[in-house]
């Protein structure tokens, strides 16, 4: 019978009590990766840090990234240079944390949402793992599928639903096979996307009007900063998913460097290009979809760019489905199937398709809200993870798999940070918090406040209880 989260395995180089992924996988590309969120045996480890560069660059070379910059200018009314500063800052912070979170993958050999059990306990971790399953496997999947389908529709003039079906089918197939094919797809997509987007970016930036007059809405800078941070940090809960197959002695500096560089450069550059689009075409055209951007390009280049946008959307969603499925299996739900991750990926693909179908119209406002909501929960989760990293220097791997181990400071602090910050500072179309209602210039400080509140609650809890530094299981 396949291993489950109730099995205790002592093989594959892991210590006692660590669940090891069953089956043989190695470096096979067109073989379905077995298992789910278990420890990767040492004899299965492979890969080099440099592959993280294209793994985190390719998924961001798509219209969803560009649209963050479009929102800054055409939606929030910022001037080009103010928008560029906010976009760079948000992307930089997300890139730095991406590098930090990637480091534990080789040592512990498990996905990010299993490592999250250190700060939340086994069952308390259902809060962030469940949220990531929904936002990654379904939410981000739907958002990026829409942008890819719209680009393919403009390029081919095929019905939007058919374009969506094509996009979804390709990305689900890649995610279904798993880790090795995911990395290979991102590697070969990278040069194609990079060449097309570099040429298109140069043309668009040459047609931008950085000094154009603008009508900035209250708090626009912080809204843009929050949206940019939300986009970049949205990859943080996946970080070690793509380093867990590396050997434990893999160079840590290289892992951090290539992870953060790939994420930061792709996000910051294309978001700035989006801001340029917002200055070069009317707001309505800019916010309408890929057509506004490609109207600035000659027909051959416009067609190639639309093709690249569709390919970039697939690159992003390959990661979203794969990591969403891993997060679901990290919930601890018993799935006694050797292909449990692959089957969950198929399920997410089906749900995401119908959600994306419903979002083919009026995608702009929905995307803005989604970007902010992502940051609303990831910032508090990140606060717990980083605080626990500060307190617990070298935790034993058995802490990740013992169902009896609790750390309720994590979920309590995260819920407190989310609840208070959203109530006071949320600023989006569905809900405006107490502070922005009365002081519009404050923008949206939800993720900043949520991070601070969560960190204070978590650290105070453990200071009072004199806990949080245990590195091994206690009787």
């Amino acid at each position: 019978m396949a291993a489950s989260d109730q099995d205790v395995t002592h093989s594959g180089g892991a210590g006692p009590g660590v669940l090891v992924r069953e089956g043989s996988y190695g470096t096979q590309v067109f073989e379905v990766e077995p298992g789910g969120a278990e420890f990767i045996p040492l004899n299965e480890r492979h890969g080099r840090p440099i592959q993280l560069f294209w793994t985190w660059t390719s998924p961001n070379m798509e219209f969803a990234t560009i649209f963050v910059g479009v929102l800054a200018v055409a939606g929030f009314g910022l001037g080009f240079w103010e928008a560029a500063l906010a976009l760079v800052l948000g992307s930089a912070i997300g890139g730095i944390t991406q590098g930090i979170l990637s480091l534990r993958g080789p040592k512990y050999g498990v996905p990010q949402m299993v490592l999250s059990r250190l700060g939340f306990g086994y069952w308390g971790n259902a809060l962030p793992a469940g949220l990531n399953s929904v936002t990654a496997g379904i939410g981000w999947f739907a958002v990026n599928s829409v942008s890819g389908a719209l680009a393919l529709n403009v390029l081919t003039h095929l019905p939007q639903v058919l374009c969506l079906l094509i996009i979804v089918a390709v990305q689900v197939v890649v995610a279904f096979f798993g880790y090795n094919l995911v990395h290979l797809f991102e590697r070969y997509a990278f040069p194609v996307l990079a060449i097309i987007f570099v040429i298109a970016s140069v043309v668009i930036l040459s047609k931008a009007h950085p000094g154009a007059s603008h009508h900035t809405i209250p708090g626009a800078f912080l809204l843009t900063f929050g949206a940019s941070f939300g986009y970049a940090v949205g990859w943080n809960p996946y970080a070690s998913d793509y380093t867990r197959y590396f050997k434990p002695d893999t160079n840590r500096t290289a892992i951090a460097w290539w992870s953060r560089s790939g994420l930061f450069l792709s996000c910051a550059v294309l978001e700035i290009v989006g801001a340029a689009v917002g200055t070069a075409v009317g707001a309505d055209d800019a916010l309408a979809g890929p057509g506004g951007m490609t109207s600035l390009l000659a027909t051959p280049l416009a067609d190639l760019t639309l093709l690249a946008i569709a390919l970039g959307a697939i690159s992003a969603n390959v990661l979203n489905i794969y990591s969403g499925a891993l997060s679901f299996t990290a919930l601890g739900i018993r799935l006694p199937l050797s292909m449990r991750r692959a089957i969950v990926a198929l399920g997410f693909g089906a749900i995401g398709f119908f959600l994306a179908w419903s979002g083919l119209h009026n995608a702009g406002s929905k995307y803005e809200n989604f970007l902010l909501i992502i940051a609303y929960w990831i910032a508090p989760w990140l606060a717990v993870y980083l605080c626990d990293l500060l307190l617990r220097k070298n935790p034993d791997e058995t802490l990740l798999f013992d169902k009896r181990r609790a750390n309720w400071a994590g979920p309590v602090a995260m819920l407190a940070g989310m609840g208070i910050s959203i109530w006071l500072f949320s600023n989006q179309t569905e809900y405006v918090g107490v502070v922005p209602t009365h002081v519009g210039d404050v923008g949206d400080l939800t993720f900043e406040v949520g991070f601070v509140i969560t960190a204070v609650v978590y650290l105070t809890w453990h200071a009072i209880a004199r806990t949080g530094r245990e590195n091994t299981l206690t009787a």
Side-chain angles (χ1 to χ4, degrees), residues 101-469:
L101 269 63
S102 297
L103 292 176
R104 275 183 165 174
K107 177 180 179 180
Y108 292 96
V110 295
Q112 193 65 55
M113 280 299 143
V114 173
L115 286 170
S116 180
R117 292 173 183 168
L118 292 170
F120 289 84
Y122 192 94
W123 295 113
N125 191 56
L127 174 62
L131 284 170
N132 198 48
S133 296
V134 174
T135 55
I138 299 174
W140 271 120
F141 176 85
V143 166
N144 291 315
S145 294
V146 167
S147 66
L150 291 177
L152 196 59
N153 167 253
V154 175
L155 175 63
T156 65
H157 305 293
L158 292 172
Q160 288 185 348
V161 175
L162 179 57
C163 292
L164 178 63
L165 187 61
I166 293 170
I167 294 291
V168 169
V170 175
Q171 55 204 16
V172 169
V173 167
V174 176
F176 178 81
F177 277 95
Y179 182 89
N180 291 335
L181 184 56
V182 167
H183 273 299
L184 187 70
F185 184 89
E186 305 298 352
R187 176 182 178 181
Y188 284 103
F190 171 71
V192 177
L193 293 169
I195 292 170
I196 295 173
F197 274 116
V198 165
I199 296 172
S201 296
V202 170
V203 174
I204 290 171
L205 289 170
S206 70
K207 296 183 178 181
H209 302 289
S213 60
H214 54 276
H215 304 283
T216 306
I217 68 172
F221 185 88
L222 288 174
L223 283 169
T224 300
F225 174 55
S228 178
F229 172 77
Y231 188 88
V233 84
W235 298 112
N236 281 190
Y238 309 2
S240 72
D241 297 3
Y242 304 95
T243 61
R244 76 192 201 281
Y245 271 86
F246 291 173
K247 293 180 180 180
D249 60 355
T250 303
N251 187 290
R252 289 168 56 84
T253 301
I255 290 173
W257 170 258
W258 291 117
S259 295
R260 66 172 176 254
S261 298
L263 182 60
F264 169 71
L265 287 174
S266 55
C267 287
V269 171
L270 287 188
E271 286 170 7
I272 289 172
V273 171
V277 172
T279 68
V281 302
D284 290 341
D285 290 335
L287 293 169
M293 169 188 174
T294 54
S295 67
L296 296 169
L297 307 172
T299 300
L301 180 57
D303 290 344
L304 285 174
T305 302
L306 288 169
L307 185 62
I309 289 172
L311 178 60
I314 294 171
S315 295
N317 273 346
V318 163
L319 301 191
N320 288 323
I321 306 171
Y322 180 79
S323 287
L326 284 179
S327 295
F328 185 83
T329 60
L331 287 170
I333 299 172
R334 185 183 177 93
L335 294 171
L337 303 167
S338 62
M339 293 174 61
R340 49 192 169 274
R341 179 209 53 80
I343 291 172
V344 171
L346 287 179
F348 280 166
I351 296 171
F353 169 77
F354 288 106
L355 183 61
W357 190 357
S358 70
L360 284 172
H361 304 288
N362 193 29
S365 62
K366 293 180 181 179
Y367 183 46
E368 173 191 337
N369 292 340
F370 184 70
L371 282 172
L372 295 174
I373 291 171
I374 283 287
Y376 290 176
W377 81 261
I378 291 182
W381 166 78
L382 191 58
V384 171
Y385 188 90
L386 294 178
C387 286
D388 192 82
L389 182 65
L390 178 66
L391 293 176
R392 210 183 309 271
K393 300 297 184 182
N394 190 31
D396 188 82
E397 57 196 5
T398 55
L399 295 177
L400 302 172
F401 293 95
D402 194 293
K403 291 186 176 183
R404 300 167 298 172
R405 181 181 171 271
N407 187 1
W408 294 111
V412 170
M414 180 174 170
L415 287 172
M418 289 173 61
I420 295 172
S421 62
I422 291 172
W423 169 56
L424 290 176
F425 291 98
S426 176
N427 191 355
Q428 53 153 305
T429 59
E430 299 300 321
Y431 173 72
V432 179
V434 175
V435 176
T437 298
H438 296 90
V439 186
D441 288 341
V442 79
D444 192 317
L445 292 170
T446 308
F447 86 80
E448 296 97 329
V449 174
F451 183 95
V452 172
I453 292 174
T454 301
V456 169
V457 172
Y458 188 81
L459 293 174
T460 301
W461 176 304
H462 283 302
I464 294 174
R466 296 184 179 180
T467 54
R469 296 183 184 275

